[in-house]
Amino acid sequence: MPGSSWYLTVALGLASLVDPAAGRLHTDLRRPSPKQNHDSRRDLYRGLGQKLNDRDLVHERSLSEAGSCLESNFTEIHAPKKNIWTGLTDPEAASVLSWLFKQADLNLTIAKDAGDWDNTIELVELMQPNKTNSLHFIDHGGKAPPRYAHVVIDHRASVDPYYADILVGPLPIVNGKTKWEPLEYPYTRKTQGKIRNVEADSTLMYDTWLLGISTSIADITLDLWNGTALGLDNDTIGLWGIDPLSQENGRILRWDQFWHNPTDEFDSSTLLPLGLYVHSDVTGRDASKWKVLGWLYNNIFYPTTEAFRNAFYSPGFDKLGANIDGTWAHTDQRGKVLPHDRSYPPVSVAPSGSRFGVDVEQKYVEWMDFSFYISFSHDVGMTLHDIRYKGQRILYELGLQEALAHYAGNDPVQSMTSYLDTYYGFGPYAFELAKGYDCPSYATYLNSTFYQEETTHTHIHSICLFEYDADYPMQRHSSNTYVSITKNVYFTVRSVSTVGNYDYMFSYSFYMDGSVGVEVRASGYIQSAYYAHNEEFGYHIHDALSGSMHDHVLNFKADFDILGLNNTIQLTNQFPTTQTFAWSNKTRNTMKIKHSNIESEDESRFNWAANAATQVKVLNLDKTTPYGEHRGYRISPSTGSIHLTVENSTNLRNAAQWANYDVQITQHHDTEPRSAHAKNSQDVENPPINFDEFFNGENLTQQDLVVWLNLGMHHVPHTGDLPNTVFTTAHSGVQFMPLNYLLGDPSRETVNMVRVDYKDGNVSAVHTFGQHDDQCTLDFEPAESDLWDYVGDVVVRKFPYDPNDPYYETDSIS
């Protein structure tokens, strides 16, 4: 299409959704924040067109060519098949939007002109193809699955607002043949793709209702904190609260708390609770019927505003302290510089260039004996598909499903908060990665793209791929005549999503021994609690601050295909026993192993065994080694891995039933592609997907199996979480490891090893097994990575669509 070639390359076909007004503010995106204006960067990004085209994949390091050690980028390769999981192309997205606005029955309004009572398009992205159709294409040479657009429409032109999931297609758009229909088959609740919207009146809620409440007690807030929340630019406090909204007996209820606003650019608002809470009923769309139901202060409940005011101005009223912003809540360096810390730390380089291949257009990657495809979506961000090892698929799909942060506390805001983060989406908030910090400077960087308000946004360099040499060898052995050591080089694909106050780092790693690792780390600002009466729920960590205890539970889907579709889950339990043997007439205390298969879904939900005494294995009972052992992969937590502490959550009811166990196995069905729905929080009693309904006693012996795994952390914040929680302690991981899969350790194939022969203190030989002997000179100057070209996102309008001016009426976040 004339005039559009550069941004088609930038887009990379990775689809998702974001609120552009919140995108780079690094504020709590799940809560209202002060409005900030962003300058248009349209002309700048036009000038960057070719630069961004060149930087779709970037590989940077400070090296010079010397000998045969040449600086090189990734190897350009061609995927064996088209990536059927990647997002809509720009022309596809534009054509879908144009067609949708022509459908009178949808009654759509362009986003920039829409109010709280208009229907708008919230999401347009590729509907992931069913596995059945996909396998016909990738394994059997059949046709590629038909492409459909998954569209979410926010229907607010009604007294009963709702979200509508619909399918549009098949693509490409052909007038007379293209249709839309409700999307229903992937959900346990059959409602023609409709999910109620309990927060349709967001403008009215925040700009009128909550500000009206805070204005009604401005005299009290001035007295307590010398601040007001009046909707003015100089407001020093704010009012926000629980998520999801409380849904009780047909009523929609809120609890909100006052918080100090940050005094500078640091995003410290969640560290500044003020301990005054207001309860309100906001059922329905008629604000005249909304009611204030009471106030809570210092663990005393006041049923009316008048009762609270009378108590406040009565003698003896106890006025508590406030949390005030300051350097204690800021992330810049402070304090005495550590000894020698001004010297540059060690860095990693890739002296021979990247040792992996990428098909940029198809998002296909090969490293050593591994290969996989990448997709990107609004809800869950990055997902890997068709993961193969030595040419055999081991996983059809591996990726995040949902992330829960369930809080607890003495106050109603902490007690009633249970974030389900796909409601906001991990894709929109996968911001640009900082070279040399998030990933090595020499990494290869991919872009991701998402839909918002008839535009697509591209986050530059939001996915990285790199090799890394671990700080310990993979293998080592010494004798009195030699030492043998193998380097532990692994390959990682990574993204980071900042959802609200937390930054989640997702890493998928591949190892020389055939293992695959999944790891998630959490950093950022904690959501804290006011200290009064919270002793049983957290530590007192600052002046008037309590660490608010919470569980992070992140659900992952691992669709295993070990040497074929038909697999079985086997448990191998290690247990103590007393045994007699033919060679002894005495009993001996020892231990044994016992194998058992999980035969049906009725027994397929369980937690990791105490003392790590039980191995969980995915086996193919039809494939054995020459010695009769079944071939497969073992699943094992590599770091802390948890399930939700709260039983029968009052907040979530049926909306997060996947969080109750560490491991859960189901028989694969095309109608069960996700364990959660992004709008589950809108109807917690009867959500679109109730994961419990996946378990109906189906046979799991030699079936196509899906393993649902929970990673996470039990987090009781302490003083070390101020100002930010650190990645080093807040992390969780799981590994998939070959078990009798091959006839030996496949890492013996690498030449990244050495054997040193010696005797009587003298080395007689050094075996390097074919590693390059050419000397490689590194012209390296220890310096920070150049972050002055940190871009942010680029915006391309899709409706109205002008291929000669893709930036028509478009602003960009910088």
Side-chain angles (χ1 to χ4, degrees), residues 375-551:
S375 72
F376 204 87
S377 69
H378 164 266
D379 292 356
V380 300
M382 181 172 62
T383 299
L384 306 187
H385 302 269
D386 197 27
I387 300 173
R388 294 178 184 249
Y389 177 58
K390 293 186 178 296
Q392 294 281 348
R393 182 170 53 250
I394 56 176
L395 287 154
Y396 171 79
E397 180 182 354
L398 177 61
L400 179 71
Q401 296 293 295
E402 181 60 278
L404 164 65
H406 199 304
Y407 288 76
N410 183 68
D411 71 72
V413 169
Q414 301 307 315
S415 181
M416 299 181 72
T417 293
S418 302
Y419 297 117
L420 292 170
D421 280 336
T422 62
Y423 178 76
Y424 311 96
F426 283 85
Y429 305 117
F431 296 120
E432 180 175 1
L433 299 166
K435 302 179 185 70
Y437 287 87
D438 289 315
C439 313
S441 296
Y442 60 81
T444 292
Y445 292 83
L446 289 158
N447 304 337
S448 61
T449 300
F450 47 89
Y451 169 90
Q452 167 67 23
E453 295 185 347
E454 293 94 50
T455 63
T456 59
H457 295 235
T458 296
H459 277 160
I460 305 301
H461 304 166
S462 51
I463 300 172
C464 67
L465 306 102
F466 60 91
E467 266 193 313
Y468 205 77
D469 188 355
D471 61 355
Y472 62 95
M474 180 186 303
Q475 168 273 334
R476 190 187 195 283
H477 183 66
S478 295
S479 75
N480 61 352
T481 61
Y482 74 92
V483 56
S484 171
I485 306 175
T486 306
K487 287 188 176 183
N488 191 2
V489 179
Y490 60 90
F491 179 79
T492 295
V493 54
R494 172 178 294 165
S495 68
V496 177
S497 292
T498 303
V499 185
N501 48 308
Y502 267 110
D503 293 54
Y504 292 96
M505 175 180 283
F506 299 98
S507 301
Y508 299 92
S509 297
F510 302 85
Y511 296 84
M512 292 283 192
D513 69 345
S515 295
V516 178
V518 182
E519 190 164 38
V520 59
R521 296 179 182 270
S523 186
Y525 283 97
I526 62 170
Q527 176 176 298
S528 57
Y530 196 69
Y531 82 103
H533 312 286
N534 205 55
E535 297 84 358
E536 294 181 336
F537 299 92
Y539 301 113
H540 191 169
I541 60 176
H542 202 66
D543 295 342
L545 199 68
S546 173
S548 182
M549 70 176 296
H550 55 283
D551 278 356

Side-chain angles (χ1 to χ4, degrees), residues 114-365:
D116 281 353
W117 284 81
D118 291 308
N119 298 340
T120 56
I121 300 174
E122 181 179 275
L123 174 67
V124 176
E125 67 179 12
L126 178 71
M127 182 65 191
Q128 289 296 303
N130 292 332
K131 182 178 181 181
T132 302
N133 295 337
S134 300
L135 294 181
H136 183 63
F137 170 67
I138 63 176
D139 286 349
H140 306 297
K143 292 183 179 180
R147 289 168 66 82
Y148 286 83
H150 173 205
V151 176
V152 177
I153 297 176
D154 189 357
H155 278 270
R156 289 172 294 170
S158 168
V159 294
D160 296 311
Y162 63 91
Y163 296 101
D165 276 313
I166 68 173
L167 276 179
V168 176
L171 302 179
I173 297 292
V174 177
N175 290 332
K177 293 184 178 180
T178 299
K179 298 179 179 180
W180 75 264
E181 60 182 284
L183 178 59
E184 187 172 73
Y185 76 86
Y187 311 139
T188 59
R189 180 183 174 191
K190 307 303 181 184
T191 58
Q192 291 291 299
K194 297 180 180 179
I195 307 104
R196 72 178 183 184
N197 180 356
V198 299
E199 300 181 74
D201 299 292
S202 56
T203 302
L204 179 63
M205 182 65 65
Y206 293 108
D207 293 351
T208 302
W209 178 248
L210 291 180
L211 285 177
I213 290 175
S214 60
T215 300
S216 72
I217 62 161
D219 56 323
I220 294 176
T221 63
L222 279 168
D223 190 306
L224 284 173
W225 313 304
N226 193 32
T228 55
L230 305 176
L232 304 176
D233 290 340
N234 61 351
D235 281 352
T236 56
I237 60 176
L239 182 62
W240 50 265
I242 64 172
D243 184 343
L245 297 184
S246 179
Q247 301 157 35
E248 301 178 12
N249 300 319
R251 310 302 296 177
I252 305 300
L253 308 175
R254 298 185 64 96
W255 271 104
D256 293 278
Q257 178 180 203
F258 284 90
W259 306 73
H260 253 138
N261 292 334
T263 57
D264 45 39
E265 70 269 26
F266 293 97
D267 185 25
S268 56
S269 60
T270 59
L271 296 182
L272 308 174
L274 293 171
L276 174 59
Y277 312 88
V278 59
H279 191 28
S280 59
D281 185 327
V282 292
T283 306
R285 306 200 68 183
D286 184 353
S288 67
K289 297 180 180 179
W290 295 353
K291 298 177 181 178
V292 172
L293 301 179
W295 297 81
L296 181 71
Y297 187 76
N298 199 10
N299 211 33
I300 300 173
F301 180 76
Y302 304 94
T304 64
T305 303
E306 182 181 8
F308 174 52
R309 173 171 276 104
N310 289 338
F312 183 83
Y313 287 110
S314 298
F317 185 85
D318 189 9
K319 300 178 183 179
L320 305 178
N323 288 296
I324 307 296
D325 197 15
T327 56
W328 67 275
H330 300 164
T331 55
D332 279 355
Q333 193 277 337
R334 63 178 183 267
K336 184 179 179 181
V337 176
L338 301 172
H340 310 296
D341 195 39
R342 293 194 187 278
S343 299
Y344 283 103
V347 297
S348 179
V349 297
S352 299
S354 299
R355 306 192 309 166
F356 54 89
V358 180
D359 183 328
V360 179
E361 183 179 358
Q362 299 301 326
K363 325 307 174 294
Y364 172 76
V365 180

Side-chain angles (χ1 to χ4, degrees), residues 542-586:
H542 202 66
D543 295 342
L545 199 68
S546 173
S548 182
M549 70 176 296
H550 55 283
D551 278 356
H552 292 283
V553 189
L554 297 98
N555 188 245
F556 286 80
K557 178 183 182 181
D559 185 341
F560 281 94
D561 289 343
I562 303 299
L563 300 170
L565 295 182
N566 297 328
N567 294 162
T568 297
I569 302 295
Q570 185 178 89
L571 306 181
T572 296
N573 181 246
Q574 186 171 312
F575 64 96
T577 186
T578 299
Q579 183 88 22
T580 59
F581 298 93
W583 46 267
S584 173
N585 58 5
K586 296 181 180 180

